[in-house]
Amino acid sequence: ATTATATATVSSSPLSATTSPPPGVTASSSPFLFEDKPSRRPVLKLAPRHAPERGGDAQVSKHCPWIFRNVVDNFDDIVKRGREQPAVLANVENSEGRELGVAAVNLKKGVLITARLLSQNVAAPVDQDFLEARIRRALVHREAFFGGSNYYRLINGEGDQLPGVFCDRYGDVLILQFTSTAMEHLFE
């Protein structure tokens, strides 16, 4: 898996806009990449389970945020709707049509982890406020644990409900690393 790493100094706005929005979202004047419209997102449909504990929505039902390519029924449809974007946000449904949540979907072929579940609430907009709330919660947790230290892992991916995102703090310097193209796209 490829990773992207960025270095920044601590500032008031860690998010900035540089590219066009994916389908289901509209351009925004905020520093965030796009304004999410939950009702306009594509639907990522999971295959039926082959056994009670395997395939389909089995992993997601166990609160694993990773959705593997081999359990997605309509990946090619999502790619077509993505219109050359590297990633989209999609509502996730099981084979019976039950809503499971919203995920950041990597549209590159050949990627094993196709999507990462961000929230179990499909109506939750994934926007700057959503990401900032997750980052603030991680910061509060680290400050409670590490006290006055300025040297720690601020964001620890799935553990902070930001799958594929890692951020280390070294004093006034933040090192941000993405192990998911879809999540990197959200932070652009």
Side-chain angles (χ1 to χ4, degrees), residues 162-178:
L162 288 167
V165 181
F166 300 87
C167 183
D168 294 315
R169 182 174 186 180
Y170 300 100
D172 290 340
V173 177
L174 299 176
I175 307 294
L176 186 61
Q177 180 179 15
F178 298 94

PDB file of all heavy atoms in Angstrom, residues 162-178:
ATOM      1  N   LEU A 162     -10.881   7.643  12.425  1.00  0.00           N
ATOM      2  CA  LEU A 162     -10.402   8.275  11.204  1.00  0.00           C
ATOM      3  C   LEU A 162      -9.529   7.246  10.479  1.00  0.00           C
ATOM      4  O   LEU A 162      -8.304   7.381  10.428  1.00  0.00           O
ATOM      5  CB  LEU A 162      -9.616   9.550  11.516  1.00  0.00           C
ATOM      6  CG  LEU A 162     -10.446  10.729  11.994  1.00  0.00           C
ATOM      7  CD1 LEU A 162      -9.561  11.828  12.566  1.00  0.00           C
ATOM      8  CD2 LEU A 162     -11.313  11.270  10.864  1.00  0.00           C
ATOM      9  N   PRO A 163     -10.150   6.185   9.945  1.00  0.00           N
ATOM     10  CA  PRO A 163      -9.370   5.086   9.369  1.00  0.00           C
ATOM     11  C   PRO A 163      -8.454   5.544   8.234  1.00  0.00           C
ATOM     12  O   PRO A 163      -8.867   6.296   7.362  1.00  0.00           O
ATOM     13  CB  PRO A 163     -10.442   4.114   8.869  1.00  0.00           C
ATOM     14  CG  PRO A 163     -11.697   4.887   8.784  1.00  0.00           C
ATOM     15  CD  PRO A 163     -11.591   6.005   9.765  1.00  0.00           C
ATOM     16  N   GLY A 164      -7.204   5.112   8.312  1.00  0.00           N
ATOM     17  CA  GLY A 164      -6.230   5.462   7.289  1.00  0.00           C
ATOM     18  C   GLY A 164      -5.562   6.803   7.496  1.00  0.00           C
ATOM     19  O   GLY A 164      -4.849   7.277   6.617  1.00  0.00           O
ATOM     20  N   VAL A 165      -5.771   7.435   8.650  1.00  0.00           N
ATOM     21  CA  VAL A 165      -5.170   8.740   8.942  1.00  0.00           C
ATOM     22  C   VAL A 165      -4.352   8.632  10.226  1.00  0.00           C
ATOM     23  O   VAL A 165      -4.853   8.176  11.251  1.00  0.00           O
ATOM     24  CB  VAL A 165      -6.241   9.838   9.119  1.00  0.00           C
ATOM     25  CG1 VAL A 165      -5.586  11.189   9.392  1.00  0.00           C
ATOM     26  CG2 VAL A 165      -7.146   9.914   7.915  1.00  0.00           C
ATOM     27  N   PHE A 166      -3.098   9.067  10.145  1.00  0.00           N
ATOM     28  CA  PHE A 166      -2.211   9.061  11.304  1.00  0.00           C
ATOM     29  C   PHE A 166      -1.533  10.420  11.384  1.00  0.00           C
ATOM     30  O   PHE A 166      -1.133  10.979  10.369  1.00  0.00           O
ATOM     31  CB  PHE A 166      -1.150   7.954  11.173  1.00  0.00           C
ATOM     32  CG  PHE A 166      -1.782   6.596  11.080  1.00  0.00           C
ATOM     33  CD1 PHE A 166      -2.173   6.082   9.850  1.00  0.00           C
ATOM     34  CD2 PHE A 166      -2.021   5.855  12.222  1.00  0.00           C
ATOM     35  CE1 PHE A 166      -2.790   4.844   9.770  1.00  0.00           C
ATOM     36  CE2 PHE A 166      -2.635   4.618  12.146  1.00  0.00           C
ATOM     37  CZ  PHE A 166      -3.023   4.115  10.913  1.00  0.00           C
ATOM     38  N   CYS A 167      -1.425  10.945  12.590  1.00  0.00           N
ATOM     39  CA  CYS A 167      -0.783  12.246  12.774  1.00  0.00           C
ATOM     40  C   CYS A 167       0.044  12.202  14.040  1.00  0.00           C
ATOM     41  O   CYS A 167      -0.469  11.890  15.120  1.00  0.00           O
ATOM     42  CB  CYS A 167      -1.837  13.351  12.863  1.00  0.00           C
ATOM     43  SG  CYS A 167      -1.112  14.994  13.019  1.00  0.00           S
ATOM     44  N   ASP A 168       1.332  12.488  13.909  1.00  0.00           N
ATOM     45  CA  ASP A 168       2.233  12.554  15.052  1.00  0.00           C
ATOM     46  C   ASP A 168       2.579  14.004  15.319  1.00  0.00           C
ATOM     47  O   ASP A 168       2.796  14.792  14.395  1.00  0.00           O
ATOM     48  CB  ASP A 168       3.514  11.760  14.771  1.00  0.00           C
ATOM     49  CG  ASP A 168       3.235  10.279  14.636  1.00  0.00           C
ATOM     50  OD1 ASP A 168       2.479   9.735  15.467  1.00  0.00           O
ATOM     51  OD2 ASP A 168       3.763   9.657  13.698  1.00  0.00           O
ATOM     52  N   ARG A 169       2.634  14.351  16.601  1.00  0.00           N
ATOM     53  CA  ARG A 169       2.996  15.706  17.004  1.00  0.00           C
ATOM     54  C   ARG A 169       4.364  15.689  17.647  1.00  0.00           C
ATOM     55  O   ARG A 169       4.614  14.928  18.571  1.00  0.00           O
ATOM     56  CB  ARG A 169       1.968  16.266  17.993  1.00  0.00           C
ATOM     57  CG  ARG A 169       2.295  17.684  18.398  1.00  0.00           C
ATOM     58  CD  ARG A 169       1.225  18.303  19.239  1.00  0.00           C
ATOM     59  NE  ARG A 169       1.566  19.711  19.467  1.00  0.00           N
ATOM     60  CZ  ARG A 169       0.830  20.531  20.158  1.00  0.00           C
ATOM     61  NH1 ARG A 169      -0.299  20.114  20.697  1.00  0.00           N
ATOM     62  NH2 ARG A 169       1.214  21.781  20.326  1.00  0.00           N
ATOM     63  N   TYR A 170       5.238  16.547  17.111  1.00  0.00           N
ATOM     64  CA  TYR A 170       6.572  16.740  17.658  1.00  0.00           C
ATOM     65  C   TYR A 170       6.714  18.224  17.956  1.00  0.00           C
ATOM     66  O   TYR A 170       7.103  19.005  17.092  1.00  0.00           O
ATOM     67  CB  TYR A 170       7.647  16.293  16.665  1.00  0.00           C
ATOM     68  CG  TYR A 170       7.544  14.836  16.298  1.00  0.00           C
ATOM     69  CD1 TYR A 170       6.948  14.439  15.100  1.00  0.00           C
ATOM     70  CD2 TYR A 170       8.033  13.856  17.150  1.00  0.00           C
ATOM     71  CE1 TYR A 170       6.855  13.098  14.770  1.00  0.00           C
ATOM     72  CE2 TYR A 170       7.935  12.517  16.827  1.00  0.00           C
ATOM     73  CZ  TYR A 170       7.340  12.144  15.629  1.00  0.00           C
ATOM     74  OH  TYR A 170       7.240  10.813  15.310  1.00  0.00           O
ATOM     75  N   GLY A 171       6.311  18.621  19.153  1.00  0.00           N
ATOM     76  CA  GLY A 171       6.333  20.040  19.498  1.00  0.00           C
ATOM     77  C   GLY A 171       5.337  20.801  18.645  1.00  0.00           C
ATOM     78  O   GLY A 171       4.144  20.512  18.660  1.00  0.00           O
ATOM     79  N   ASP A 172       5.840  21.776  17.872  1.00  0.00           N
ATOM     80  CA  ASP A 172       4.984  22.576  16.997  1.00  0.00           C
ATOM     81  C   ASP A 172       4.868  22.001  15.595  1.00  0.00           C
ATOM     82  O   ASP A 172       4.303  22.639  14.700  1.00  0.00           O
ATOM     83  CB  ASP A 172       5.521  24.008  16.897  1.00  0.00           C
ATOM     84  CG  ASP A 172       5.339  24.775  18.194  1.00  0.00           C
ATOM     85  OD1 ASP A 172       4.484  24.359  19.010  1.00  0.00           O
ATOM     86  OD2 ASP A 172       6.047  25.783  18.386  1.00  0.00           O
ATOM     87  N   VAL A 173       5.392  20.808  15.356  1.00  0.00           N
ATOM     88  CA  VAL A 173       5.361  20.190  14.031  1.00  0.00           C
ATOM     89  C   VAL A 173       4.419  18.993  14.050  1.00  0.00           C
ATOM     90  O   VAL A 173       4.465  18.165  14.955  1.00  0.00           O
ATOM     91  CB  VAL A 173       6.779  19.735  13.594  1.00  0.00           C
ATOM     92  CG1 VAL A 173       6.734  19.024  12.260  1.00  0.00           C
ATOM     93  CG2 VAL A 173       7.714  20.927  13.532  1.00  0.00           C
ATOM     94  N   LEU A 174       3.551  18.918  13.032  1.00  0.00           N
ATOM     95  CA  LEU A 174       2.664  17.771  12.859  1.00  0.00           C
ATOM     96  C   LEU A 174       3.098  16.995  11.628  1.00  0.00           C
ATOM     97  O   LEU A 174       3.359  17.585  10.581  1.00  0.00           O
ATOM     98  CB  LEU A 174       1.211  18.227  12.657  1.00  0.00           C
ATOM     99  CG  LEU A 174       0.566  19.008  13.784  1.00  0.00           C
ATOM    100  CD1 LEU A 174      -0.831  19.468  13.376  1.00  0.00           C
ATOM    101  CD2 LEU A 174       0.492  18.156  15.038  1.00  0.00           C
ATOM    102  N   ILE A 175       3.192  15.682  11.755  1.00  0.00           N
ATOM    103  CA  ILE A 175       3.480  14.812  10.616  1.00  0.00           C
ATOM    104  C   ILE A 175       2.193  14.044  10.339  1.00  0.00           C
ATOM    105  O   ILE A 175       1.738  13.261  11.167  1.00  0.00           O
ATOM    106  CB  ILE A 175       4.619  13.810  10.921  1.00  0.00           C
ATOM    107  CG1 ILE A 175       5.861  14.538  11.445  1.00  0.00           C
ATOM    108  CG2 ILE A 175       4.911  12.950   9.701  1.00  0.00           C
ATOM    109  CD1 ILE A 175       6.531  15.440  10.450  1.00  0.00           C
ATOM    110  N   LEU A 176       1.595  14.276   9.183  1.00  0.00           N
ATOM    111  CA  LEU A 176       0.331  13.668   8.810  1.00  0.00           C
ATOM    112  C   LEU A 176       0.584  12.604   7.757  1.00  0.00           C
ATOM    113  O   LEU A 176       1.243  12.880   6.757  1.00  0.00           O
ATOM    114  CB  LEU A 176      -0.609  14.749   8.268  1.00  0.00           C
ATOM    115  CG  LEU A 176      -2.039  14.384   7.942  1.00  0.00           C
ATOM    116  CD1 LEU A 176      -2.765  13.897   9.191  1.00  0.00           C
ATOM    117  CD2 LEU A 176      -2.762  15.598   7.362  1.00  0.00           C
ATOM    118  N   GLN A 177       0.081  11.402   7.994  1.00  0.00           N
ATOM    119  CA  GLN A 177       0.292  10.298   7.058  1.00  0.00           C
ATOM    120  C   GLN A 177      -1.050   9.659   6.724  1.00  0.00           C
ATOM    121  O   GLN A 177      -1.878   9.429   7.603  1.00  0.00           O
ATOM    122  CB  GLN A 177       1.213   9.248   7.663  1.00  0.00           C
ATOM    123  CG  GLN A 177       1.466   8.082   6.730  1.00  0.00           C
ATOM    124  CD  GLN A 177       2.405   7.058   7.334  1.00  0.00           C
ATOM    125  OE1 GLN A 177       2.654   7.052   8.523  1.00  0.00           O
ATOM    126  NE2 GLN A 177       2.913   6.186   6.501  1.00  0.00           N
ATOM    127  N   PHE A 178      -1.248   9.368   5.435  1.00  0.00           N
ATOM    128  CA  PHE A 178      -2.463   8.712   4.965  1.00  0.00           C
ATOM    129  C   PHE A 178      -2.105   7.343   4.410  1.00  0.00           C
ATOM    130  O   PHE A 178      -1.198   7.225   3.593  1.00  0.00           O
ATOM    131  CB  PHE A 178      -3.130   9.531   3.856  1.00  0.00           C
ATOM    132  CG  PHE A 178      -3.571  10.888   4.294  1.00  0.00           C
ATOM    133  CD1 PHE A 178      -2.754  11.988   4.111  1.00  0.00           C
ATOM    134  CD2 PHE A 178      -4.791  11.063   4.919  1.00  0.00           C
ATOM    135  CE1 PHE A 178      -3.161  13.245   4.538  1.00  0.00           C
ATOM    136  CE2 PHE A 178      -5.209  12.311   5.329  1.00  0.00           C
ATOM    137  CZ  PHE A 178      -4.390  13.404   5.146  1.00  0.00           C
TER     138      PHE A 178
END
